[in-house]
């Protein structure tokens, strides 16, 4: 009876390990696409003259692609820059917009972003936080006599919020991890930390299925 119970638990956990990621991924995809559809559905209905199922999603994706095309040519960049300069003149909004823009550039285009490298910061003593160097040397007006680096430490699983540390550069522990891979670890709350480069897998599992207890 106990052997049957252990066998049932083993296959249940194995099935759970497969089903839960699939269901959560499908839910997140559905949530994003449903929000996009609701956002643009009214515009599509006004243009076509009637509601079109899924039309909002298609219109949203088309809009993103169109903006991408505009942003990659000379005239489009000038237009976007002019719009950004207008936004940057608005107190409060310019601060929020600038921060979100830098974070998105660092995540989507890390080679052009401001997150230069992934490091460990000891805080509090004996514990370490995963951070990203944004400035190798901050201006003297932001520090004392000791040279400091600016490190952004994001919160998990939402990297859009976090802390700004001014830390001595010799106290930072460099990681041999690309910025995008380190962000993957933050967003997954440490569940995805591949031992080698490449696609991530749950830390410590290496794709293994749950095994029976050692006691039989």
């Amino acid at each position: 009876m106990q052997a049957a119970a252990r066998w049932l638990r083993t296959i249940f956990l194995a099935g759970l390990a497969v089903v839960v990621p699939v269901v959560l991924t499908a839910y997140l995809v559905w949530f994003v696409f449903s929000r996009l559809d609701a956002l643009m559905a009214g515009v599509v209905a006004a243009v076509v003259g009637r509601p079109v199922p899924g039309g909002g999603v298609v219109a949203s994706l088309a809009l993103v692609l169109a903006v991408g095309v505009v942003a990659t040519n000379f005239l489009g960049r000038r237009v976007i820059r002019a719009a950004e300069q207008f936004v940057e003149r608005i107190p409060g909004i310019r601060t929020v917009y600038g921060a979100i823009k830098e974070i998105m550039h660092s995540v989507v285009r890390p080679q052009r972003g401001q997150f230069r490298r992934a490091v460990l910061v000891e805080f509090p003593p004996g514990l370490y936080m995963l951070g990203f160097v944004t400035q190798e040397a901050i201006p003297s007006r932001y520090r004392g006599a000791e040279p400091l680096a600016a490190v952004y430490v994001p919160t998990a699983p939402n990297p859009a919020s976090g802390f700004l540390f001014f830390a001595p550069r010799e106290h930072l522990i460099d990681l041999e991890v690309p910025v995008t891979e380190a962000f993957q670890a933050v967003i997954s709350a440490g569940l995805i930390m591949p031992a080698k480069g490449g696609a991530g897998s749950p830390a410590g599992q290496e794709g293994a299925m749950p095994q029976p207890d050692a006691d039989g």
Side-chain angles (χ1 to χ4, degrees):
M1 193 67 178
Q2 291 181 350
R6 284 194 296 269
W7 174 81
L8 184 61
R9 188 188 67 171
T10 298
I11 63 172
F12 177 78
L13 292 177
L16 201 64
V18 174
V19 171
V20 171
V22 172
V23 172
L24 290 179
T25 302
Y27 173 77
L28 290 175
V29 171
W30 170 84
F31 179 81
V32 171
F33 275 75
S34 62
R35 297 285 79 78
L36 289 174
D37 188 50
L39 183 65
M40 297 294 292
V43 177
V44 174
V47 173
V48 178
R50 61 182 180 83
V52 178
V57 173
V58 175
S60 298
L61 295 178
L63 177 62
V64 172
L65 290 175
V67 172
V69 171
V70 172
T72 53
N73 65 69
F74 176 76
L75 180 60
R77 285 196 297 267
R78 291 178 65 91
V79 173
I80 292 175
R81 182 54 189 159
E84 288 182 338
Q85 289 176 344
F86 173 77
V87 172
E88 289 169 356
R89 294 191 183 99
I90 305 175
I93 294 180
R94 66 184 177 188
T95 303
V96 176
Y97 174 77
I100 294 176
K101 177 183 175 182
E102 290 299 333
I103 291 174
M104 286 303 300
H105 279 195
S106 298
V107 176
V108 178
R109 300 185 298 177
Q111 69 277 12
R112 301 180 184 179
Q114 298 302 313
F115 290 170
R116 290 170 168 78
R117 53 194 172 96
V119 297
L120 290 181
V121 182
E122 188 175 11
F123 181 82
L127 298 177
Y128 294 89
M129 303 183 74
L130 177 60
F132 302 90
V133 175
T134 57
Q135 294 288 342
E136 295 288 353
I138 64 175
S140 59
R141 60 185 297 193
Y142 287 93
R143 59 175 172 81
E146 187 177 19
L148 302 174
V151 183
Y152 176 69
V153 177
T155 56
N158 177 22
S161 64
F163 306 93
L164 174 62
F165 289 168
F166 291 161
R169 282 172 292 185
E170 62 270 18
H171 291 178
L172 301 178
I173 302 176
D174 283 300
L175 300 178
E176 296 181 0
V177 176
V179 169
T180 51
E181 188 174 304
F183 251 95
Q184 190 179 37
V186 173
I187 295 173
S188 68
L191 293 175
I192 301 178
M193 291 190 294
K196 298 180 180 179
S201 61
Q205 293 186 10
E206 300 295 335
M209 289 296 185
Q211 300 295 324
D213 291 340
D215 59 0

